[in-house]
């Protein structure tokens, strides 16, 4: 464990001021379930850590006519256990419940889940200086790549790990980012970035910015949503492939279909061609599978992860069929 400065903020303003003054090498910490692992494993070596745990007013879900405001320090357990979220936003409830283990959900926060770093085994290995850590290449590209991306790879092939991200994107959520210079709003669909933008980062957060909250628009009466996640084993695990789907369902017809997948892309991956193919369709598995196939032309599987392309069709099919039940 390397020594670093530690500061505990009691307000967002204080945290933002610390972040802008402390400079490069300063990391924000919420629950610490990801960051502390990275520090212990030697993946990151911070010069300073600013702890948000004592910041008031960011650990709740506020509800109003406009929808939800989810504070960045809301735990995954509180999100998964919220009765209104479960009723009105099944996709978000199911995604939160599927993430990690009960212990990690008690500690891990929404902000931390969205900003967590990739789980690529080369990135997480302190001895492998891959492109994401400033090295010259992605070791997964011609190495062990069974759990890597089939969409959006190139300079790096690590998949985006968050279960909440696809769910919040189909719900048209917005991220509120704060720094000592002020506040800005970014649609969550534009928050995550592929490695071609900046291989060292996975989102648009500037080094001095903090994710304050996520706003989710109010659910409309006909909205239906679902999250289906495939994992390799029976207990908690990151998604091998997942699909978040939302549509307005009237009778047996879908409109305004949104599909965003996890486990397959270097960022949460939207299946635009599949969405278009499903307009006016029934929410059933064959329609979902057939539509997903339309989005597979852009997939670039590596030597060991071609199975994800077939799996994606099945998982999207199941998620679309689940709309009829939710
Ligand atoms: C064994 C294990 C299994 C897991 N399985 C899953 C899974 O199946 N699905 C899944 O989605 N996740 C999974 N996770 C990840 C887990 O959900 C995250 O570790 C957790 O949500 C992170 O929240 P945290 O508050 O502890 O974040 P921290 O560890 O405190 O921070 C994580 C990262 O986010 C940054 N950060 C945190 N909060 C903010 C903020 N408000 N603004 C800006 N940056 C911020 C930190 O700087 C850090 O880089 C798993 C983790 C573990 C250890």
């Amino acid at each position: 464990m390397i020594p670093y400065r530690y500061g505990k903020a009691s307000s967002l303003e204080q945290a933002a001021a610390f972040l802008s003054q402390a400079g490069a090498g300063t990391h924000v910490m919420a629950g610490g379930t990801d960051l502390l692992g990275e520090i212990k494993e030697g993946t990151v070596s911070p010069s300073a850590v600013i702890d948000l745990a004592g910041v008031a007013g960011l650990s709740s879900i506020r509800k109003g006519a406009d929808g939800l405001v989810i504070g960045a320090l809301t735990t995954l357990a509180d999100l998964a256990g919220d009765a209104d979220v479960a009723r009105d936003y099944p996709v978000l409830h199911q995604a939160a419940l599927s993430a990690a283990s009960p212990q990690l959900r008690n500690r891990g926060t929404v902000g931390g889940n969205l900003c967590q770093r990739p789980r690529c085994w080369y990135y997480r290995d302190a001895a492998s200086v891959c492109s994401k850590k400033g090295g010259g290449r992605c070791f997964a590209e011609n190495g062990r790549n069974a759990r890597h991306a089939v969409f959006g790879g190139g300079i790096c092939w690590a998949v985006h790990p968050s279960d909440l991200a696809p769910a919040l994107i189909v719900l048209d959520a917005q991220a509120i980012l704060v720094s000592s210079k002020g506040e800005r709003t970014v649609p969550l669909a534009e928050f995550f970035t592929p490695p071609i933008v900046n291989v060292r980062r996975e989102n648009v957060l500037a080094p001095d910015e903090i994710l304050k909250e996520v706003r989710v628009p109010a659910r409309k009466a006909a909205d239906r949503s679902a999250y289906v996640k495939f994992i390799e084993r029976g207990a908690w695990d990151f998604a091998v492939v997942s699909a978040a789907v939302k549509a307005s369902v009237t009778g047996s017809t879908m409109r305004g279909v949104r599909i965003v997948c996890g486990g397959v892309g270097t960022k949460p991956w939207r299946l635009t061609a599949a969405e278009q193919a499903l307009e006016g369709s029934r929410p059933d598995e064959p329609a979902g599978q057939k539509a997903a196939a339309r989005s597979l032309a852009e997939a670039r599987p590596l030597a060991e992860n071609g199975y994800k392309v077939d799996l994606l069709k099945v998982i999207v099919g199941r998620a679309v069929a689940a709309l009829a039940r939710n």
Side-chain angles (χ1 to χ4, degrees):
M1 194 87 165
I2 51 104
Y4 55 83
R5 285 168 63 213
Y6 170 84
K8 193 159 187 173
S10 54
S11 70
L12 207 50
E13 293 72 28
Q14 201 181 30
F18 184 93
L19 206 51
S20 73
Q21 285 154 17
T26 306
H27 291 250
V28 165
M29 182 169 82
T33 60
D34 183 32
L35 182 67
L36 291 178
E38 283 209 296
I39 296 173
K40 283 187 196 165
E41 288 155 12
T43 313
V44 297
S45 303
S47 56
V49 168
I50 177 76
D51 190 344
L52 300 180
V55 173
L58 290 189
S59 348
S60 60
I61 306 172
R62 300 197 305 276
K63 297 154 192 174
D66 292 344
L68 307 176
V69 180
I70 306 170
L73 296 179
T74 305
T75 64
L76 298 180
D78 283 348
L79 183 62
D82 189 286
D84 296 323
V85 171
R87 185 192 60 233
D88 291 339
Y89 307 94
V91 65
L92 186 54
H93 168 72
Q94 292 158 7
L97 205 55
S98 79
S101 63
Q103 292 92 333
L104 284 158
R105 291 198 294 273
N106 281 337
R107 182 80 197 161
T109 64
V110 169
N113 184 273
L114 295 172
C115 299
Q116 64 176 298
R117 305 307 308 280
R119 287 278 156 181
C120 167
W121 38 61
Y122 295 106
Y123 167 70
R124 294 275 166 168
D125 172 21
S128 305
V129 186
C130 67
S131 51
K132 191 164 271 306
K133 288 188 290 196
R137 66 190 180 101
C138 172
F139 295 111
E141 185 162 21
N142 297 306
R144 306 314 308 258
N145 48 43
R147 297 292 292 261
H148 287 75
V150 296
F151 296 110
I155 188 168
C156 166
W157 292 82
V159 287
H160 184 83
S162 164
D163 281 308
L164 295 188
L168 286 166
I169 293 172
V170 298
L171 293 173
D172 288 323
Q174 298 196 315
I176 313 303
L177 315 183
V178 172
S179 74
S180 54
K181 299 190 276 292
E183 204 171 279
R184 66 180 175 128
T185 303
V186 178
L188 214 61
E190 293 163 25
F191 179 73
F192 301 101
T193 50
I196 190 83
V197 174
N198 179 354
V199 69
R200 305 293 298 271
R201 303 184 72 90
E202 294 80 43
N203 54 53
V204 299
L205 268 179
D208 65 343
E209 279 183 318
I210 298 170
L211 175 58
K212 177 187 170 191
E213 62 197 23
V214 175
R215 296 185 188 154
V216 184
R219 180 199 162 188
K220 298 194 183 73
D223 283 353
R224 301 285 179 271
S225 67
Y227 188 70
V228 174
K229 173 178 176 181
F230 180 87
I231 58 176
E232 209 166 23
R233 54 189 188 192
W236 52 266
D237 201 358
F238 289 90
V240 175
V241 173
S242 69
V245 180
K246 192 193 98 174
S248 170
V249 182
T250 312
S252 56
T253 305
M254 291 185 290
R255 299 277 173 211
V257 183
R258 296 291 300 269
I259 306 173
V260 178
C261 293
V264 290
T266 51
K267 63 175 197 163
W269 207 259
R270 189 169 168 194
L271 303 187
T272 314
E275 291 173 356
Q276 286 162 2
L278 282 171
E279 283 299 306
S281 296
R282 299 170 65 87
D284 63 28
E285 195 162 339
Q289 284 207 27
K290 200 170 153 200
R294 298 261 194 116
S295 286
L296 298 178
E298 52 183 307
R300 284 174 61 206
L302 301 166
E304 297 178 346
N305 67 0
Y307 72 96
K308 286 194 178 187
V309 175
D310 297 322
L311 190 53
L312 184 64
K313 277 188 278 188
V314 176
I315 297 304
V316 170
R318 288 182 190 171
V320 169
L323 296 185
R325 299 189 295 273
N326 284 347

